Structure formats: structure tokens, C-alpha cells
């Protein structure tokens, strides 16, 4: 009865919250129509939503250990599903997934299939058993399940290390997204934008832990779904005259495909692609003549700078040449890596566009097979990674019962589905809009959004449209669009009022903040509960444990913000790395811990270490970001899917070592029976 009353009150609160948010949105639209400057609209959106989240965080502040770690285990299934969906809909889902589909067409669906399928694994294999176990963290479960004669610390520490690395990699991507959005709508420098966004993250998670994060994430989900639905519905009506984009965009695909065939045979498009092919050949020639080509290039850049300084060159020209020298590869090895990457980029732009709905589209069967294998490998890694992500799994500690934990997974999938079935629609409709309104435009009449987005990041422009063949007309091959801005730029591309741009920014910020909150809390709670309390000071008071967790959260947040300010990689690459790491290190131990009683401590240690090492080794040797080379790939599998090797390796190591060492004790067998007993 108490739980039902609590659920009723929550429903009323969030109903009025939604109504007031819609009124706020309409009010800003009226203000824009009345001539209020756009910059103020952006500020109002950004700061009003941040104040809402901060207000929820302040009202939910707590020092109670159960409230701080698991929200008092009283979160109703529906609301836990909304909170999980917000926790899940990171900057990658909100900002980058539509961009990924925009750039790669069918291949981008691997993310949607993998992430959605992962929740099926969560429901079937993990969530109910974790709730029945009923503690606070994933390392806590693994440490208890794989306790041996010498205690549970070995597995617990390894699980904490894996949790911290996985969550830290993921949170850097979210904070990068926060910086991108904040700098876009406040005009501050990207690095400053990161630390401004960080303040709102800390207010929620620092004061109230899981309790504050949960109720904030429910509020954030409402903003996320409203922000996504309005512009894509508008685009759907504009191009198909139908207000249901999930059904309407299919009619746009044939028209899009017809345009791509026209572009493939257009002489001017072919001319541009030929220029990119020549550039790729030039890079290949430089690579083949290393290290001489590196030395010659360095001397040429130095000579150019000296000539400009000694002549009558402008300060801008001198600075540009100086920057070119500073950015020149520092060694022949770095030159090879960067020139190979540049060659591949030019080769990609030299190819004719492929159909958006043709699976594994490529110019020959061999390349198509490689695409297919990478598609399946990525789906595998994302599914396994989803089922092992600590910040998602701990959400299933928060419902009041095992039954509601199962129901939470259903509601999580439902609320995630609302966004995921819409993402392909947005990607296709935006692409159609660009094909019809931008391609073929005179360079002197480029839309204002192109100028704006190309100036947001001058070092690595988010939009780059250059007249390669000097004909004064925009060709498709001349457009380079960063996938991370497709969603953010959608309102401007579609010609929508600026208030919708502010709404999109608020939605993207909510997505990044909600996931960052959950990740930072997962890291700090694992360190404070599983390292400090379980190992360092088992006699620590609850107040001391919460204080330690808050301090650790602050430190981790600042370090993550600093790393994000360095712009280490695009959002999807960082997220993909986190999923492969989670799948390789934790999935075998989690699943076998529930379903195979023979799995023991030695096996778990071998499985976690082996899976993690294989995954990291593959990433380091194949990803250019880490100094690797794609020529080192096994079976042409991309570095983002390293988990396809890490998971089997970890599973085999766990099984093999468990069979070669003594069986688990009676206490552990009783624990497995208890968590598997229906409730």
C-alpha cells in the first residue's frame, strides 16, 4: 500500500512537470516570435533545465547509505525503466547514433540492434539475479559469488579495476558531448563548456547519490524524448506530409536512392572524386618513400615559414604556416600513421555514394563480406557489453522486488524503443533534406548553418564544404559532415525556429548528463564500497562511507573532464571501446557466476584478466588512436569490436581454469541456489 501511494505521488509530480515544461517551451516560442534575441533563448533553455536538475539534486540530498547507493530500493518499475532509459540514452545515442546512420546507412543499424538486443540479455541472464542478491555494486556480487579460501578480495579488486576503466572510458565520451553542446549554445570555449556542464553533473550525483540521480534521470528522459520527437516529426511532415516519421521515412528511401544514382554518374561529382583519388595516391607515394619524404616535407614547411617571415606576408599567413609546422608529424612513424589515415579518408571520399538500405554495400564481394563480418561482430560486442555495463546493471538493485526488477527491464526497453525506432527516420530525412536543398547550391549562397557549424571548431571543422573542382557549385563529394552534429544541426538544416535548436540542445545535454551522473556514481561507489569499506576499513561508519564516495566522485569527475577537454576521439569510438571492454572483462564472469556452479575464484580471475588483456591488446595494435595500425587486424575486424575476441578468450579461460582447480565451497553453492530461486 505504501509503495502504491508512493508511485501515485510520483505520477502526479512528473505529470505536472511535463505540463509545465511544455508551457515553458510554448512561452519561449512566443518570445522568439516577439523578437527576443536567439542567444537569450539558448541561455534560457540551457540554464533553466540545469536549474531543474540541480533543484531535484538538492531536494534529494541524503547521507543514508541505502538511499545514496540504491535509492532506498523503492523505485517503481515504470520510473526505474525511465531512469534506466535516460541513463542509457547517452550522448552516443542522442547525438551520434543518427550521425552514424547518416554516414554509413544500413551499417549504422548495428548499434540499434546490438544495444536493444543487449537488454534482452539483461532481462534473461542478469538483472533478476542481481536484485535477488540485493547488495550495492557489480564488484560486490562478483566478489561474493567467487569468494575462495583466502577471501573475496582478489575478484573484487579486479572487478573494481574493470568497472573503473570501463565507466571512465564511457564517461569521457559523455563529458565531451556536454562540452560540445554547452559551447554551441553559450558561445564559450569548448574546454570551458566542459567544466560548466560538469558543475550540473556534480550537483545531482554529489548531494544525493542514486536517489538524486534516479529522480533527475526521469525528468531528463521526458526532455530527451520531447526534444527528439518534435524536429523529426516536423521533417516528416515537410517531406512526406505524414506526422509519423517512424512509418513515413520508408517512402523517402527510394527517392534518396535515386538521387545517389544520379550523383554517382554526374560528371562534376566524378571530377571531384577523381581529385580525392589523386590526393590519396599522393599520400601513398609519401608513405612508400618514408623516411625521406618525412624529412623533405619538414624542410619544405620550415622553408615556407622562413620565406613568409622574410617577405611581406600578413600575420595571418605567418601564423597559419607556424601552425602547420607545429602540427607536422614529429617522427616518420607518426607520419606513416597520420598519412595512412589521411589516405583512407581521401579514398573514402573518392568512392561513389552507396545505397542507404543495401546491406553491406561495397564495390566488390570481398569488401561486402568484410562489412558483414564487422556488422555481426559489432552487434555481438554491443549486446554482450550492454549486459555487462556496471552503471546499467546497478539500476536493477533499486526496485523494491525481483518481480519489479524484471518489469523494469521491460519498461527500459519500451522507453528506449521510442527513441531508437525514430533515430533512423531522423538520419534519412536529414540526408534527404541535404541532398535536395544543399547539393547543387551556389557556393555564394550557402545556408547560414554551414558557416556557423564550420566555425565552432576551427582546428577540426564539424562541417567542411570546399569547392574542390572550382566550379562554384556544391557537389555531394565536397560535403564533409561530422556525424556528431547531425542531430544538433537538424533544426537549422530543416529551417525550424531557433527555439527547436534550443530544445535539441537541452535534450542532448540531458542525455549526456544523465549517463555521466550514473557513470560517475558507479565509479565512486565501487571505490568507496568495494575498496574502502570491504578491504581498507570494514568498520567505517555509514556517514564516513558516503563522504568517501562523494570525495572520490569529485576527483574522478575532474579527471574525466580534463581528459575530455583533450578531445581524445569521436563519441561513438569511445563508447564502442567501453562496450568491448565491458563484454570481455565482465560478461563471462557475470553469466557463468549465475548459471554454472562449477565456476570458481581462480576461473573468474583467469576469465577477467584474459578477456581484458586480449581486448586491450587488440585495440592497442589496431586502432590508430592508440598508435596501432589497421593492417594488424585479425580477419579484418575493426578495433571497436575487440570484444569479439575478448569474450571467447575470457569464457574459455574461466571454464578451463575452473575445471583444473578445486570446486566451489558449500556456502557459494547455497548462494547460487538462493539467487536462482524464483521470487
Amino acid at each position: 500500500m505504501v509503495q502504491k501511494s508512493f508511485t501515485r505521488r510520483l505520477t502526479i509530480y512528473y505529470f505536472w512537470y511535463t505540463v509545465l515544461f511544455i508551457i515553458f517551451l510554448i512561452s519561449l516560442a512566443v518570445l522568439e516570435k516577439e523578437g527576443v534575441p536567439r542567444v537569450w533563448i539558448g541561455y534560457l533553455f540551457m540554464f533553466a533545465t540545469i536549474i531543474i536538475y540541480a533543484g531535484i539534486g538538492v531536494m534529494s540530498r541524503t547521507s543514508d547509505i541505502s538511499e545514496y547507493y540504491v535509492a532506498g530500493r523503492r523505485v517503481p518499475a515504470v520510473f526505474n525503466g525511465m531512469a534506466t532509459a535516460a541513463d542509457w540514452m547517452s550522448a552516443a545515442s542522442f547525438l551520434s547514433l543518427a550521425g552514424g546512420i547518416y554516414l554509413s546507412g544500413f551499417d549504422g543499424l548495428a548499434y540499434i540492434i546490438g544495444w536493444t538486443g543487449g537488454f534482452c540479455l539483461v532481462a534473461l541472464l542478469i538483472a533478476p539475479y542481481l536484485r535477488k542478491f540485493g547488495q550495492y555494486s557489480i564488484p560486490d556480487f562478483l566478489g561474493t559469488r567467487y569468494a575462495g579460501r583466502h577471501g573475496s578480495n582478489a575478484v573484487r579488486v579486479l572487478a573494481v579495476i574493470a568497472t573503473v576503466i570501463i565507466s571512465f572510458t564511457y564517461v569521457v565520451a559523455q563529458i565531451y558531448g556536454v562540452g560540445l553542446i554547452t559551447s554551441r549554445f553559450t558561445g564559450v570555449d569548448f574546454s570551458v563548456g566542459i567544466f560548466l556542464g560538469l558543475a550540473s553533473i556534480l550537483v545531482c550525483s554529489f548531494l544525493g547519490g542514486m536517489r538524486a540521480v534516479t529522480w533527475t534521470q526521469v525528468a531528463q528522459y521526458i526532455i530527451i524524448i520531447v526534444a527528439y520527437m518534435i524536429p523529426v516529426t516536423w521533417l516528416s511532415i515537410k517531406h512526406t506530409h505524414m506526422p509519423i516519421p517512424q512509418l513515413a521515412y520508408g517512402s523517402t528511401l527510394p527517392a534518396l536512392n535515386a538521387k545517389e544514382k544520379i550523383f554517382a554518374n554526374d560528371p562534376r561529382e566524378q571530377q571531384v572524386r577523381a581529385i580525392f583519388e589523386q590526393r590519396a595516391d599522393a599520400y601513398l607515394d609519401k608513405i612508400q618513400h618514408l623516411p625521406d619524404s618525412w624529412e623533405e616535407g619538414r624542410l619544405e614547411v620550415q622553408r615556407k615559414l622562413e620565406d613568409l617571415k622574410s617577405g611581406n606576408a600578413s600575420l595571418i599567413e605567418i601564423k597559419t604556416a607556424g601552425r602547420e609546422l607545429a602540427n607536422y608529424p614529429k617522427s616518420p612513424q607518426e607520419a606513416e600513421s597520420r598519412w595512412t589515415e589521411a589516405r583512407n579518408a581521401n579514398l573514402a571520399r573518392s568512392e561513389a555514394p552507396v545505397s542507404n538500405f543495401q546491406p553491406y554495400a561495397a564495390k566488390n564481394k570481398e569488401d561486402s563480406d568484410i562489412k558483414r563480418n564487422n556488422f555481426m561482430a559489432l552487434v555481438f560486442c554491443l549486446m554482450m557489453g550492454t549486459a555487462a555495463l556496471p552503471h546499467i546493471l546497478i539500476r536493477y538493485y533499486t526496485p523494491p522486488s525481483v518481480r519489479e526488477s524484471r518489469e523494469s527491464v521491460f519498461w527500459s526497453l519500451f522507453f528506449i524503443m521510442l527513441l531508437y525506432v525514430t533515430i533512423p527516420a531522423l538520419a534519412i530525412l536529414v540526408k534527404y533534406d541535404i541532398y535536395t536543398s544543399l547539393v547543387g547550391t551556389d557556393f555564394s549562397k550557402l545556408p547560414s548553418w554551414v558557416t556557423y557549424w564550420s566555425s565552432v571548431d576551427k582546428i577540426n571543422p564539424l562541417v567542411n564544404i570546399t569547392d574542390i573542382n572550382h566550379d562554384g557549385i556544391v557537389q555531394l563529394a565536397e560535403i564533409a559532415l561530422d556525424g556528431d552534429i547531425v542531430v544538433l544541426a537538424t533544426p537549422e538544416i530543416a529551417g525550424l525556429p531557433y527555439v527547436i535548436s534550443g530544445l535539441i540542445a537541452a535534450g542532448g545535454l540531458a542525455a549526456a548528463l544523465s549517463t555521466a551522473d550514473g557513470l560517475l556514481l558507479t565509479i565512486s561507489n565501487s571505490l568507496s564500497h568495494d575498496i574502502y569499506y570491504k578491504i581498507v576499513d570494514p568498520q567505517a561508519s555509514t556517514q564516513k562511507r558516503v563522504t568517501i564516495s562523494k570525495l572520490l566522485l569529485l576527483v574522478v569527475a575532474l579527471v574525466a573532464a580534463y581528459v575530455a577537454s583533450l578531445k581524445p576521439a569521436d563519441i561513438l569510438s569511445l563508447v564502442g571501446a567501453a562496450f568491448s571492454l565491458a563484454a570481455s572483462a565482465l560478461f563471462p564472469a557475470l553469466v557463468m557466476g549465475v548459471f554454472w556452479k562449477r565456476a570458481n575464484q581462480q576461473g573468474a580471475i583467469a576469465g577477467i584478466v584474459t578477456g581484458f588483456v586480449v581486448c586491450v591488446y587488440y585495440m592497442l595494435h589496431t586502432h590508430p588512436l592508440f598508435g596501432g595500425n589497421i593492417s594488424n587486424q585479425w580477419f579484418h575486424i575493426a578495433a571497436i569490436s575487440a570484444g569479439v575476441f575478448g569474450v571467447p578468450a575470457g569464457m574459455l579461460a574461466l571454464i578451463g581454469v575452473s575445471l583444473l582447480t578445486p570446486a566451489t565451497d558449500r556456502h557459494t553453492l547455497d548462494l547460487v541456489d538462493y539467487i536462482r530461486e524464483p521470487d
Side-chain angles (χ1 to χ4, degrees):
M1 183 64 78
V2 174
Q3 186 65 24
K4 286 184 178 179
S5 174
F6 180 59
T7 304
R8 240 186 340 263
R9 289 202 312 275
L10 284 174
T11 304
I12 293 170
Y13 293 156
Y14 284 108
F15 170 79
W16 283 110
Y17 165 81
T18 305
V19 170
L20 291 172
F21 179 71
I22 293 171
I23 292 172
F24 173 71
L25 184 61
I26 294 170
S27 301
L28 289 182
V30 172
L31 288 174
E32 182 183 357
K33 193 172 182 182
E34 292 299 317
V36 172
R38 287 184 169 191
V39 66
W40 288 106
I41 300 290
Y43 281 135
L44 283 170
F45 253 122
M46 295 290 291
F47 292 113
T49 51
I50 288 174
I51 287 169
I52 290 171
Y53 308 148
I56 295 173
V58 171
M59 288 189 292
S60 303
R61 63 189 182 278
T62 182
S63 293
D64 179 87
I65 198 74
S66 178
E67 291 283 352
Y68 192 87
Y69 281 168
V70 289
R73 301 194 202 278
R74 59 195 179 100
V75 182
V78 174
F79 291 97
N80 196 52
M82 292 179 76
T84 305
D87 204 349
W88 177 251
M89 286 178 199
S90 60
S93 287
F94 193 93
L95 295 179
S96 299
L97 191 47
I101 295 175
Y102 174 95
L103 295 173
S104 56
F106 178 90
D107 295 341
L109 293 178
Y111 289 96
I112 292 179
I113 297 169
W115 284 338
T116 307
F119 272 93
C120 297
L121 297 183
V122 171
L124 292 171
L125 304 179
I126 298 173
Y129 308 103
L130 283 178
R131 180 60 189 88
K132 188 72 179 288
F133 173 67
Q135 290 300 309
Y136 298 122
S137 69
I138 303 309
D140 205 3
F141 169 74
L142 292 174
T144 305
R145 165 60 182 88
Y146 293 110
R149 294 181 211 168
H150 306 293
S152 61
N153 289 351
V155 174
R156 188 184 300 275
V157 169
L158 284 175
V160 168
I161 292 170
T163 295
V164 170
I165 293 174
I166 293 160
S167 300
F168 187 83
T169 304
Y170 206 161
V171 81
V172 167
Q174 307 318 307
I175 295 177
Y176 176 90
V178 169
L180 185 66
I181 298 165
T182 307
S183 61
R184 158 70 177 94
F185 284 90
T186 61
V188 299
D189 182 72
F190 176 81
S191 299
V192 176
I194 281 178
F195 287 95
L196 283 176
L198 188 67
S200 60
I201 295 173
L202 291 174
V203 170
C204 295
S205 47
F206 186 81
L207 294 175
M210 182 61 81
R211 177 182 175 180
V213 166
T214 297
W215 307 130
T216 304
Q217 286 173 338
V218 174
Q220 287 166 331
Y221 176 80
I222 293 168
I223 293 177
I224 289 168
I225 205 68
V226 170
Y228 217 92
M229 290 300 176
I230 289 178
V232 73
T233 301
W234 189 308
L235 269 175
S236 180
I237 294 170
K238 176 181 176 181
H239 291 298
T240 69
H241 308 292
M242 187 175 178
I244 307 174
Q246 298 88 344
L247 301 177
Y249 82 98
S251 63
T252 309
L253 280 171
L256 199 63
N257 192 38
K259 282 192 169 293
E260 286 171 340
K261 288 180 179 177
I262 293 172
F263 295 148
N265 298 314
D266 187 329
R268 289 181 298 186
E269 291 282 352
Q270 292 174 346
Q271 183 184 16
V272 174
R273 292 198 295 272
I275 293 171
F276 281 118
E277 189 171 2
Q278 290 169 7
R279 291 180 180 180
D281 291 341
Y283 277 113
L284 178 61
D285 183 67
K286 289 165 74 173
I287 293 168
Q288 290 174 339
H289 290 88
L290 282 169
D292 293 342
S293 57
W294 170 78
E295 182 63 32
E296 290 169 5
R298 187 170 62 84
L299 292 173
E300 184 180 339
V301 174
Q302 285 177 337
R303 192 159 43 245
K304 178 182 175 183
L305 178 60
E306 289 167 3
D307 290 345
L308 288 171
K309 286 180 177 179
S310 60
N312 295 319
S314 67
L315 186 60
I316 294 176
E317 288 177 315
I318 293 172
K319 281 188 174 181
T320 302
R323 194 158 45 240
E324 185 181 351
L325 179 60
N327 292 331
Y328 192 80
K330 302 297 185 292
S331 65
Q333 292 75 23
E334 184 183 342
E336 182 179 11
S337 176
R338 284 169 56 176
W339 291 346
T340 301
E341 188 177 343
R343 176 176 180 265
N344 292 335
N346 279 283
L347 277 177
R349 295 184 69 178
S350 71
E351 295 176 0
V354 294
S355 171
N356 280 273
F357 55 86
Q358 180 183 343
Y360 326 122
K363 55 188 176 183
N364 56 56
K365 187 178 185 304
E366 183 183 357
D367 289 347
S368 180
D369 289 344
I370 291 172
K371 276 195 169 186
R372 180 201 61 212
N373 294 342
N374 272 285
F375 185 95
M376 301 306 294
L378 184 56
V379 169
F380 174 88
C381 292
L382 295 176
M383 286 182 68
M384 302 295 177
T386 299
L389 277 180
H391 79 286
I392 293 297
L393 295 181
I394 62 169
R395 288 237 53 95
Y396 300 107
Y397 280 127
T398 62
S401 66
V402 174
R403 179 181 175 181
E404 291 218 40
S405 180
R406 290 183 186 274
E407 291 177 5
S408 289
V409 184
F410 164 78
W411 286 112
S412 301
L413 270 171
F414 173 77
F415 290 121
I416 290 167
M417 179 203 69
L418 292 181
L419 184 76
Y420 274 14
V421 297
T422 309
I423 286 173
L426 184 137
I428 295 303
L429 290 169
V430 167
K431 179 172 275 193
Y432 185 75
D433 202 284
I434 287 177
Y435 280 12
T436 54
S437 63
L438 183 58
V439 177
T441 303
D442 193 300
F443 264 89
S444 63
K445 298 177 182 177
L446 287 176
S448 58
W449 67 266
V450 172
T451 305
Y452 177 82
W453 283 102
S454 61
S455 63
V456 169
D457 187 341
K458 291 183 172 60
I459 298 175
N460 299 298
L462 299 170
V463 177
N464 186 8
I465 303 179
T466 307
D467 193 3
I468 302 295
N469 61 347
H470 305 292
D471 66 348
I473 303 296
V474 177
Q475 270 81 56
L476 178 63
E478 294 174 331
I479 301 173
L481 190 68
D482 191 300
D484 288 345
I485 66 137
V486 167
V487 173
L488 287 174
T490 291
E492 292 153 296
I493 293 171
L496 291 166
Y498 184 79
V499 69
I500 305 301
S501 296
L503 177 62
I504 285 280
L509 186 65
L513 292 178
S514 60
T515 305
D517 276 329
L519 289 162
L520 289 172
L521 196 64
T522 298
I523 295 172
S524 62
N525 286 357
S526 291
L527 291 172
S528 64
H529 177 72
D530 292 291
I531 299 296
Y532 181 75
Y533 175 62
K534 290 288 186 176
I535 298 175
V536 177
D537 186 7
Q539 306 304 317
S541 65
T542 56
Q543 180 65 46
K544 191 173 184 180
R545 290 163 62 189
V546 170
T547 301
I548 292 293
S549 182
K550 290 180 178 180
L551 291 174
L552 288 169
L553 189 147
L554 181 62
V555 172
V556 172
L558 291 172
V559 174
Y562 171 72
V563 174
S565 70
L566 303 177
K567 303 180 184 179
D570 65 275
I571 295 175
L572 272 183
S573 292
L574 285 172
V575 170
F579 277 84
S580 276
L581 288 171
S584 302
L586 298 179
F587 183 79
L590 282 167
V591 173
M592 300 303 277
V594 174
F595 293 100
W596 192 43
K597 293 182 179 180
R598 187 66 176 77
N600 61 16
Q601 186 183 72
Q602 295 92 327
I605 292 171
I608 292 171
V609 172
T610 302
F612 184 81
V613 168
V614 169
C615 181
V616 171
Y617 172 84
Y618 191 76
M619 285 183 179
L620 292 176
H621 281 72
T622 58
H623 202 304
L625 178 68
F626 308 123
N629 195 307
I630 58 174
S631 63
N632 296 327
Q633 290 177 353
W634 301 339
F635 310 109
H636 301 286
I637 298 298
I640 195 173
S641 302
V644 79
F645 304 111
V647 172
M651 190 72 77
L652 289 173
L654 188 151
I655 293 171
V657 174
S658 292
L659 291 174
L660 294 172
T661 50
T664 51
D665 57 32
R666 185 70 252 171
H667 175 74
T668 302
L669 295 177
D670 290 341
L671 172 66
V672 176
D673 287 334
Y674 169 72
I675 63 174
R676 284 165 56 175
E677 184 180 336
D679 194 348

